[in-house]
Amino acid sequence: QIVVAMASKEVAEKATVLRGEMADLRAERDNAREATSAAEADLSHCRDAFDAARAEYDEAKLAAVQMEMEVRTMAAEDAQAQLRGAMARAQVEHLRAAAAKEAAMQAELVALRAERDAAQEAKSAVEACHNALAAARAARYEEELAARKEMEIRIMSAEDAHAQLACARETAEFAESALAATQADLTAERSRRAFFQDQAQALEEALRETQVKCDNHEDALRMSQDCLLSIMEECQCPISHSFMREPVVAADGHSYERQAITRWLATHGTSPMTGAQLTNTLVVPNLIITRVCRFLKRGRVEDEQSEASTPNPQEALAAAPGELLAAAAWRCDRA
């Protein structure tokens, strides 16, 4: 009984430890699920940041292309303006040459006096042409200076756009690396969760096996208790209904307490069990029942003492079926 009780206690302690480990594993599984949800949220945030960086990169690239087109358009317009100015100057010079030729022809037709006037007029015209050319050159220089300033401003804007584009590329690369790291962490977390789930299933299987063993021990306990109760009923006197201390066998083959059957035979000549007439009134000691009663009485005292010293007597399991009878027979043989 002590060995069985110790084994049952060990089984109960192991079951308690397994239940605690199951609770810890379930808590770790919940924590793993929360970490997986946080990792998925971080992954979604990284994806949004990557999409925003890609959109900024596309916008900067489009702005750079548009700015380059504007620069080329302005350069073409400047070239056309220069060509138009050259053509206008050539036409002016051609007209002036024609006017000078006409003036010369008129001077030849007129007198020498008109030639002097024509020479003076030509001189004034040349001076005017020189002044006009100087003014045109000054205007052209101012236009070129303004165009250069505007070009420098546009080049600086293009450099800023390129810098922003490089920054956007770096941001996109960082977002891609963060996304790859997050995916690796998510894969590791999934493998860890699968490992914990396998362990939880194994522990649940062990817990079910332990529960089956406990159920089998409980069934054996009930069978042992039923057998012990039947033996104790057999060890009770049919007359006094008390536990026999000195059992004897009467002529009817049944066992009785010596004092109870002696009083019965003093006033009756029949069997207390069957009511039939007895052939004699002799009684013989029943040694086997005596030894069994002594063994059961000693076992009852030991059980009472163990119950008084055990904090929780419900945890103690009885012996296996037939063990008490085997022990009683062994003690009888030794006696």
Side-chain angles (χ1 to χ4, degrees), residues 90-133:
Q91 189 175 5
V92 169
E93 290 177 357
H94 181 69
L95 292 174
R96 287 176 180 174
K101 188 176 181 180
E102 185 179 0
M105 290 175 67
Q106 289 178 3
E108 290 176 356
L109 295 174
V110 185
L112 292 174
R113 191 175 48 186
E115 185 178 356
R116 188 179 57 188
D117 295 336
Q120 290 179 356
E121 288 178 0
K123 185 178 180 180
S124 63
V126 170
E127 291 178 356
C129 288
H130 283 295
N131 294 331
L133 182 60

Side-chain angles (χ1 to χ4, degrees), residues 32-83:
R33 288 179 178 174
E34 293 177 359
T36 302
S37 300
E40 291 177 354
D42 293 338
L43 178 60
S44 178
H45 181 69
C46 290
R47 286 178 179 172
D48 295 337
F50 177 75
D51 293 337
R54 180 62 62 83
E56 290 178 1
Y57 171 76
D58 294 336
E59 291 178 0
K61 185 176 181 180
L62 181 60
V65 171
Q66 291 178 355
M67 186 173 293
E68 185 176 0
M69 291 296 294
E70 290 177 1
V71 170
R72 291 181 179 178
T73 303
M74 292 297 296
E77 290 177 358
D78 293 336
Q80 289 179 0
Q82 292 177 3
L83 181 60

Side-chain angles (χ1 to χ4, degrees), residues 22-222:
M22 282 290 295
D24 296 336
L25 287 174
R26 288 173 180 170
E28 291 180 0
R29 183 183 62 189
D30 295 336
N31 294 332
R33 288 179 178 174
E34 293 177 359
T36 302
S37 300
E40 291 177 354
D42 293 338
L43 178 60
S44 178
H45 181 69
C46 290
R47 286 178 179 172
D48 295 337
F50 177 75
D51 293 337
R54 180 62 62 83
E56 290 178 1
Y57 171 76
D58 294 336
E59 291 178 0
K61 185 176 181 180
L62 181 60
V65 171
Q66 291 178 355
M67 186 173 293
E68 185 176 0
M69 291 296 294
E70 290 177 1
V71 170
R72 291 181 179 178
T73 303
M74 292 297 296
E77 290 177 358
D78 293 336
Q80 289 179 0
Q82 292 177 3
L83 181 60
R84 289 174 183 174
M87 290 176 66
R89 286 193 299 272
Q91 189 175 5
V92 169
E93 290 177 357
H94 181 69
L95 292 174
R96 287 176 180 174
K101 188 176 181 180
E102 185 179 0
M105 290 175 67
Q106 289 178 3
E108 290 176 356
L109 295 174
V110 185
L112 292 174
R113 191 175 48 186
E115 185 178 356
R116 188 179 57 188
D117 295 336
Q120 290 179 356
E121 288 178 0
K123 185 178 180 180
S124 63
V126 170
E127 291 178 356
C129 288
H130 283 295
N131 294 331
L133 182 60
R137 288 178 179 177
R140 183 180 177 183
Y141 177 76
E142 291 179 357
E143 289 177 358
E144 289 179 355
L145 184 61
R148 287 179 182 177
K149 290 183 179 180
E150 186 176 0
M151 184 64 69
E152 290 177 356
I153 292 171
R154 290 182 179 180
I155 289 172
M156 292 177 64
S157 300
E159 290 178 354
D160 294 338
H162 283 297
Q164 292 178 0
L165 181 60
C167 183
R169 287 178 180 174
E170 292 178 357
T171 305
E173 291 176 357
F174 177 75
E176 288 179 355
S177 61
L179 179 61
T182 305
Q183 288 179 352
D185 294 340
L186 182 60
T187 303
E189 191 65 30
R190 287 177 180 172
S191 61
R192 183 183 177 188
R193 183 175 61 183
F195 175 72
F196 285 152
Q197 288 178 354
D198 294 337
Q199 284 189 347
Q201 292 177 359
L203 290 175
E204 288 178 356
E205 186 67 23
L207 184 60
R208 285 195 293 270
E209 292 178 359
T210 305
Q211 187 65 34
V212 170
K213 291 181 181 179
C214 291
D215 295 338
N216 294 333
H217 280 295
E218 289 179 356
D219 295 336
L221 174 62
R222 285 193 292 269

Side-chain angles (χ1 to χ4, degrees), residues 296-327:
L296 292 176
K297 184 177 180 182
R298 190 182 302 111
R300 182 184 297 178
V301 172
E302 291 177 356
D303 291 339
E304 290 177 356
Q305 292 177 356
S306 62
E307 288 177 359
S309 61
T310 303
N312 188 5
Q314 293 181 355
E315 296 180 354
L317 297 177
E323 186 174 353
L324 291 177
L325 293 176

